[in-house]
Each structure stands twice: as structure tokens, then as C-alpha cells.
Amino acid sequence: MISDEVASVAARRIALGAVSCAIAAAVCVHGAEQDEDQDASDDFALEEVIVTADRQEQSLLDVPISVTAFDADALEDYQITGYKDLEVRVPGLQIGLDSPATIRGIGSLYRGLAGDVAVAEYSNDLYFNEPYGVSSSLYDIERVEVLRGPQGSLYGRNSIGGAINYVSKRPATEFGAGVTAELSSFGGRRLNGFVTGPISDQLAFRLTVESQQRDGNQENITGPDFGARDDVHVSPQLAFRNDWLDVNLRYSTFDQDAMSEVRVPVRYPSTGVEFHPNPQDGSPSEERNQFYRYPRRQPPSVSGGDLSNRVDLNNGGRTEVDRDAISFHAKVRLSDNWGVKYIYGGSELVFGFIDQDFDGSSVTGSASDRFLSANAGVPFVDGTIRAIFDIALDTHELQVTLDTERLSAIAGMYLLDEDYMSDINIFDVANRAVFSGTDDIWRAAGLPFSFGDLFPEGRLSLGEDRWIEAHVPDGTARFYHAPTVKTVDSKAVFGQASYELDERWRVTLGLRYTEDNKKILQDEDRVVIGEFDPFDGALLGDGTDYTRTAPARFNRITPLLVQDFDKVTGNVSLEYTLADGQLVYGRVATGYRSGGPVIDRDPPFDRYDDEELTSYEVGFKGDLMDDRMRVLVSGFVYDFGNYQQVIRHRELEPVPRQFTVIDNLPDTTLSGLEIDLTVIVTPKFRLSGFYAWQTSSLGPVMASDPLDPNQTFDVVSYMSPFTGQEEVAYLEALKNLEDNELPNMPNHKWSVTADREFTLGDRGTLMASTTFSFTGERFNRIQNIAYDVLDSHTRWDASLSWVSASQRTTATFYVENLTDEIGIMELESNGWSDGYYQDATLTNPRFIGFVVRWAN
């Protein structure tokens, strides 16, 4: 039986859908009435959409690839200013705060060392694997293209799931300028501008400036709100063009310093227990409950039932981003048929999460003892994280192109050099151990010797690369430090050719050979432990005296790791053009993502292999009904060779144990259908939208799940190699994950947009637009347990724009998320030692704004 709450949600969504359809129908009828006496020769034709999916400019309808493209007008008309706006308008695309893009269920839900993304993202042909600082609000962008399916022939790295291209506008040979000003909810202010024009007959310039500020849109009960913006983006360009040479040089600098969006707690553990129950028998464990006697029994984000963007954190912090990038394009026309192109991209990105809340609560210390909580008088955590990432990327690409009447070909080579450094620090002002010296505590306990007397080398060795040493407080409250340095070198040669067999048939073949070299130069863990008691309780006693702590520091250093991967990928497509110009195609493509190391694991679990994918796709593209209806349809089946995922592994020898690794899973499949329609109902009224259906199935996989609150255990008897006695181990029960679905892949997703234009004569025109989007239920992990379900959610946007008769000035009033429905984009789950705590990235709350644009 369906619960009242589920029925209420379903009824609300049905009602919203009905209202949206009713509005669209009413507008359609009104439009038909207004335009019925117009001349039948009025221009109904859909505009041509140009894309670079095959690294050359082509019509969207001529490319045998599933592509969604937004040109500059669409980005402005629909207020697409960020990745959350893109997500609801693109079939198969899901994006989170911590996770990069997922396309058709292929993503990267782990961000381990040397782990690669699944979707290649490019800004003016410069590959990047972190979205920070690419653009502030997608201003002055020529187009955004989302390519679905593996792009293993022509795109540089990690395009096993697809690719996203951001293409900026280039300098114009005639003078032009424009300004965009916006005021919006939460104190939002945006002021952007560009100026472009000729310097000489062959030299032109363009200067683009973005400035965006906003107060927090995530309400914080205890402290300042989160979700603020403070971005400045400046990009100058130069272009040189003559009959045989086309050169473009673009520099971009981006700066952000704001209390940006944070993950929102959506499930607390029970606030009535001081220690989390041991899942084996339900008895109290030694794992303390951070939320013991917390004043809120559940997170404010879910109080009252529906999700809301609210947190309760006593530590603020901020996000800092500093990105400098340069792109250089030089295209030489050797003859009418031959051309050479060189592309260089360089980027230096430094971003950091500075002193952001780490414990998910507003608990602080009591007045009498700052190391005991004010609400319960017990030890607790009052932590912040300071994580700095420095990523330098350099890419070089050389292309040779050939275009004849029947043959179009491209061949080239690609080089990438990436240097990655991170410095992660966690501070806890409530941690007594980080403020206590080991020798001081030992002497206070009456021991007549120091740590150095007991261990002459000043450390207790635990192996070649692990040791414990005396802890000396540094006064910063830092209890964890993890510096990392790694490099990635990638090189490839590639080629693709399309040949027209006759006026109807065309065949395309592409191949790419890639080599990846990954090095872990430095990876360390240094953590203060407060239970270092080699005297079997002499220092700590029975644990009831909270002031008795024996701190020391555990150290782990990973030696140099070097791994090499190589792969040949490719694609072949057969295309047939119907008599009316529509395209029917079939495409087979392979994708590749290199493997990587698994830190602090013994062989063979110290690495995972590369991931392979073969996709089979058939599609139809064409304009119908006298070019008034555009239809894009694609059906696809994916077959994975070595699907990369995080799983829990079990071993019985030499002793029973379980541990988490990144592993390669066999026989995973995925299939789906995508339908994209645009219909010019009348010259003044247009409907557009898509529907995407997907399903997937894991192969035979047996794994345990430490994040399942309903986990059960196997009791395993074994002979201890240390004591020679029979002992018992409790191992999480293995579960069969075969036929489970891939993470972050809704089975159903759709969107519909209605646009209606009203002519005001010499006073200009009005454009009314409304979009209703639906993202279906999906799972957060391959375990597919009910605890990790991401519920379906909707978003309803509406806008009204006035365009002057000269078309130079536009004023838009818009509302995003009209119903203020909040959904989960990405969910993070924890195990029993954290009380199965969960936090999430949420969709935006309702936004209301007013934008004025002027351009000549």
C-alpha cells in the first residue's frame, strides 16, 4: 500500500505536470488563434545548429553522435548560468558537488588518488578534470555541447562516458560591445560585459569581464549562511586572420573567495545514545556519537518532511579559487583541401576549502572544560578542514585535416602533462590529544621515562613505511595531515575519416592509441592518536576519566608508485541519408579509462586495471513537417569489460578480514533510449523537450556492505597464527549484487519547454517561456539498498522577456524552481561507526531574478 506521504508527493507531481501541460495547451490555442490569419509563407524553419563534435564545425543533423547543444541565444533565453541548469536540460547528464559529470550512468563516484573522471570536459580545447574556475556564469559563450557516449577517437582523455565542450566567442572584425546586469534572490548581483573589434585589417581583439556576487542561499541556523558567490573572471583575446592563417590567443583569469555551497546533512544518527551500537549484537561500542543529546533529533534540512537547504554548523569557512589559463590555436590552410592546426592549452588551478565545518554539527565546548560538549558534557568533535589543491595542466595537439568532395579526414597527436599537489589538514579544537604532549602525559602518570627512553630512535616501527612517534603539540589543533604529489603523462596518436560512398551512404572510421603514465611521488598520512597506551591500561585506565589521554602520531608514507597503461580505442559508423535529408546511423565505439593505484593496500589489491567499454548506438536525426519539427532519437547498448567500482573485499587467510578496494567488475551492461523533439507549432509558438529512459545491470558480484544499517554477519572460526588458539571473527555477510543498477542513473528523465512570442509592433516583442523537468529515482551506490535511494524531483522554471524593436536591449524576469521543490543530486553515506550519518548535495531553492542585456 502506498503511504500517505508518497501519495501526496505523487499527487503534487501529477498536478504540477497537469498544470504545465494546461499552460502549454492554453498558450498553444491562444497562439493558433492569434496567428491563424497569418500568411502561410511565414518562416517556420528551425535554425541550423553548428557543433564541433567531430572536432570540425558541422551541422548537428550531420553528426552521427548523440549531442545536445546550447548556443549563445539559448544560454541567455533559458538563464543557463551553471551546471545545475545544464543538468535538467540534458538527457543522461547528472552532476554533483564533489562528483564530476556522469553521462548515461558512467561517472566517477570515487575521487581516489590517480582516479580518472569518466567525462572529458574542455574549455576552448583545454582539457580539465576539475570544474572550478572555468566560467563564472557561462557569459560570452558561443555554445556548450554535451556529447553522449564514448568519444575515444578524437578527444584527449577520459571520454569513456562522453564529453562536454565550452566554446567561447572569439574576436570579431567589426566593433561590438555588450553589458549584462542582473539582480536576483539572496542578494545576487551580476555585472558582465564584453567589447570586441578590429585593431587592424587582420588583427582583432575581445575582452570579456564577469563579476558575480551573492549572499548565501543555504540557511545556517547557528552561523553565517552558505552558498555565497564572489567571482571575478577576466578574459582578453587576440585573433589574427588572413587568407591562409587563423590564429587565436586567449588568456583567462578567475578568482573566487566566498562561503560557497556545502554538503547538507540529511540523516543524523540517534541522539539518545552516547556510543554507536555495535552492529554485530547491538551492544554499545567505543565509537562516540557526535550527536549525543543534540538539540535537533533530525537535520533541519528534513524537518517537517520535505528537504530544504538548511544546515546547523558553527564553523563557516570559505572556498578560494584561483585559475589562470591560456589557449592558443593556429590554423594554417595549406591548400583548398589540406590544413594544419596546432592547439596549446595551459592551466594553473589552485582551489581550497578553507576552514570549513568538518563535523556536521554546531556542538561546542562547555565553559568549564572546552574538551567536553556543552550539550552533553562528553568528548566530542569540533573540527574544520583546510584542503588546498594545486593542479597544473599542459596540453599540445597537432591536427592535419583533409577535405575533398567525398572524403573528410583528420589525423594528429596529443600530449598531456598534469602535476597534481594537495595538502589536506583537519583541525579539531575539541581534541584533547592534539594539545597534549606524549612525554608530559607519561610523566603525569608517574612513569619515570620518556617516549625517547623507551624507543631510542624516537619512533615505534610498524613496518617499512609506517611508524608511531612522540606527539608534540604544534598549537594549531591539527590532528590529521595528508600531503600528496602525483603526475600524469598522457600521449596519443589518432585519426578519423569519413567517406561518402555515394549521395546517400557514408562511412566513418576512427582510431586512437593512448599511453598513460601515472606516478605517485608523495602520499602521506599523519594522524594524532589519543589512545597510545603500550602499558595495557596503565595510562588510560578504564576510559572513564576523560582527562587521561596518551597521544602519539601515526605516520604512513607510500613509496614511489609508477604505473603505465595503454589502449587502442576507436569507432565506426555507417550513415544513410534519406530522400528528404534525414540521417539514419549506426555507430560502434569503444571507450577507455586508465586504472590506478590503491594506496595502503598489499598486492594484488594495490592497483586496479583500466576500464573498457563498447557501445552500440543507432539513431535518427532530421527535420520533418516542412522543417517545423526536429527529431533526434538514439538507442544504445553498452558492454563494460572491467567496470571500475569501490567494493568491500573478503579474505579468510591468514586471518579472516574485510577491506575496501577499487576493483574491476565483469559483465556490466547498460541500455537506453533518448528522444529529443522541437516543434514549431506556429511562427510564434514552439515546444521542445526530451525523454530519456535507461536501465543497467551489474554482472555477477559478491560483496559486503558496511554502509547498510540492516547488515548481517557471518561467524567465522579460525586458528589464530599469533596465539595458536581458535578464535571467532564476525564478517559482514556477502550479498549478490548481480543485476543491480549503476549509481546516479535515473531510469526516467524528461523535460518540456514552451516558448511563446508576442509582437508589440514598434515597441518590440515579448517572449514567455516555461520549462518543467523531471529527474527520476535513482541509487547512490551499486548496492542499491533502500537507505541510499535518491528520490525523484522536479523543477519548474518560467520567464518573461522583452526585446526592443532594434533587438539590442533585452529585459528578463525569471523564476527558477517555481515550486521551491528541493531534490538530492548526490548522496554521501557513512557506516555504523558514524551512526550511518548521511549528507547530500541538494538542488537549488527558488530563485527570482531580473536581467537586463544590451549589445550592439
Side-chain angles (χ1 to χ4, degrees), residues 533-555:
D533 190 350
F535 304 102
D536 195 23
L539 296 179
L540 296 180
D542 60 4
T544 58
D545 184 357
Y546 300 138
T547 66
R548 302 184 71 180
T549 181
R553 190 172 72 174
F554 169 80
N555 303 266

Side-chain angles (χ1 to χ4, degrees), residues 444-688:
L447 298 179
F449 45 78
S450 67
F451 186 98
D453 295 332
L454 190 62
F455 307 105
E457 294 185 0
R459 63 172 62 183
L460 170 61
S461 177
L462 303 176
E464 183 179 357
D465 303 306
R466 300 174 179 83
W467 69 92
I468 293 176
E469 64 184 10
H471 169 61
V472 179
D474 62 6
T476 66
R478 180 173 65 181
F479 80 93
Y480 179 75
H481 182 212
T484 299
V485 178
K486 72 175 183 180
T487 64
V488 177
D489 294 308
S490 181
K491 53 187 177 182
V493 291
F494 60 89
Q496 181 164 297
S498 295
Y499 183 74
E500 294 184 3
L501 302 174
D502 56 33
E503 62 181 9
R504 296 290 179 86
W505 290 94
R506 182 173 63 178
V507 63
T508 299
L509 175 66
L511 286 174
R512 187 184 192 93
Y513 172 74
T514 302
E515 291 183 357
D516 288 323
N517 173 267
K518 296 183 175 182
K519 295 179 182 178
I520 303 296
L521 304 178
Q522 177 187 14
D523 180 69
E524 303 178 15
D525 280 311
R526 303 182 184 276
V527 59
V528 174
I529 53 178
E531 299 178 356
F532 181 65
D533 190 350
F535 304 102
D536 195 23
L539 296 179
L540 296 180
D542 60 4
T544 58
D545 184 357
Y546 300 138
T547 66
R548 302 184 71 180
T549 181
R553 190 172 72 174
F554 169 80
N555 303 266
R556 178 193 61 80
I557 294 181
T558 297
L560 174 67
L561 288 175
V562 180
Q563 294 183 350
D564 295 297
F565 303 89
D566 63 88
K567 187 67 62 176
V568 175
T569 54
N571 63 270
V572 58
S573 63
L574 184 62
E575 306 147 49
Y576 180 75
T577 302
L578 300 175
D580 292 334
Q582 295 87 21
L583 177 70
V584 179
Y585 68 90
R587 185 172 190 260
V588 179
T590 59
Y592 154 73
R593 173 165 50 175
S594 62
V598 181
I599 303 301
D600 201 24
R601 290 288 181 263
D602 297 325
F605 304 106
D606 59 340
R607 61 170 285 159
Y608 55 97
D609 293 331
D610 49 75
E611 184 177 79
E612 304 174 27
L613 168 67
T614 302
S615 74
Y616 307 88
E617 182 172 326
V618 293
F620 171 88
K621 295 183 175 185
D623 288 345
L624 307 174
M625 297 173 54
D626 296 327
D627 294 338
R628 289 188 292 168
M629 173 184 287
R630 177 163 295 163
V631 181
L632 309 175
V633 180
S634 60
F636 53 90
V637 175
Y638 289 178
D639 184 10
F640 287 91
N642 294 299
Y643 178 53
Q644 297 173 358
Q645 263 297 330
V646 178
I647 67 167
R648 189 82 161 161
H649 187 75
R650 172 186 285 194
E651 279 193 343
L652 299 179
E653 298 291 341
V655 296
R657 64 176 183 141
Q658 290 173 309
F659 50 92
T660 301
V661 298
I662 302 175
D663 206 353
N664 298 94
L665 311 185
D667 302 328
T668 295
T669 60
L670 185 152
S671 58
L673 175 69
E674 297 166 350
I675 303 173
D676 196 320
L677 295 175
T678 302
V679 182
I680 304 295
V681 181
T682 76
K684 303 296 183 182
F685 179 66
R686 180 172 69 176
L687 285 173
S688 59

Side-chain angles (χ1 to χ4, degrees), residues 48-253:
E48 184 180 29
V49 177
I50 300 298
V51 297
T52 53
D54 276 341
R55 305 302 298 272
Q56 300 182 70
E57 290 191 351
Q58 293 176 275
S59 169
L60 172 68
L61 301 181
D62 293 335
V63 180
I65 299 173
S66 297
V67 184
T68 298
F70 302 94
D71 62 14
D73 291 337
L75 294 174
E76 292 184 353
D77 291 345
Y78 300 127
Q79 310 302 319
I80 300 174
T81 59
Y83 64 87
K84 290 187 179 182
D85 301 319
L86 280 176
E87 184 193 70
V88 298
R89 293 181 178 273
V90 178
L93 176 65
Q94 304 297 136
I95 302 178
L97 180 63
D98 292 335
S99 298
T102 295
I103 292 181
R104 292 177 173 174
I106 307 175
S108 309
L109 298 184
Y110 60 89
R111 301 304 303 275
L113 290 175
D116 287 333
V117 297
V119 177
E121 297 192 57
Y122 290 85
S123 173
N124 301 293
D125 289 313
L126 171 59
Y127 166 82
F128 61 91
N129 52 15
E130 295 288 352
Y132 302 98
V134 175
S135 175
S136 178
S137 61
L138 299 182
Y139 177 71
D140 213 29
I141 297 290
E142 182 68 31
R143 62 184 177 273
V144 178
E145 305 169 354
V146 182
L147 285 61
R148 301 187 295 280
Q151 311 295 319
S153 296
L154 296 180
Y155 285 86
R157 294 197 76 237
N158 303 326
S159 59
I160 189 170
I164 303 176
N165 294 330
Y166 301 90
V167 182
S168 299
K169 291 183 178 180
R170 291 196 169 185
T173 56
E174 296 182 357
F175 179 80
V179 176
T180 294
E182 177 181 1
L183 295 176
S184 60
S185 303
F186 305 101
R189 296 93 65 199
R190 182 162 66 106
L191 183 60
N192 300 338
F194 79 90
V195 59
T196 185
I199 298 176
S200 66
D201 290 342
Q202 298 176 327
L203 188 64
F205 77 96
R206 190 179 196 97
L207 176 64
T208 305
V209 178
E210 293 182 90
S211 176
Q212 182 173 205
Q213 292 82 35
R214 184 182 70 205
D215 301 331
N217 67 327
Q218 289 182 318
E219 179 188 350
N220 186 11
I221 295 174
T222 301
D225 294 342
F226 292 89
R229 297 288 299 268
D230 190 358
D231 306 345
V232 176
H233 182 211
V234 179
S235 177
Q237 285 186 82
L238 286 176
F240 176 85
R241 303 182 186 95
N242 60 22
D243 293 339
W244 61 276
L245 179 63
D246 187 339
V247 176
N248 194 88
L249 177 64
R250 182 179 187 269
Y251 171 74
S252 171
T253 180

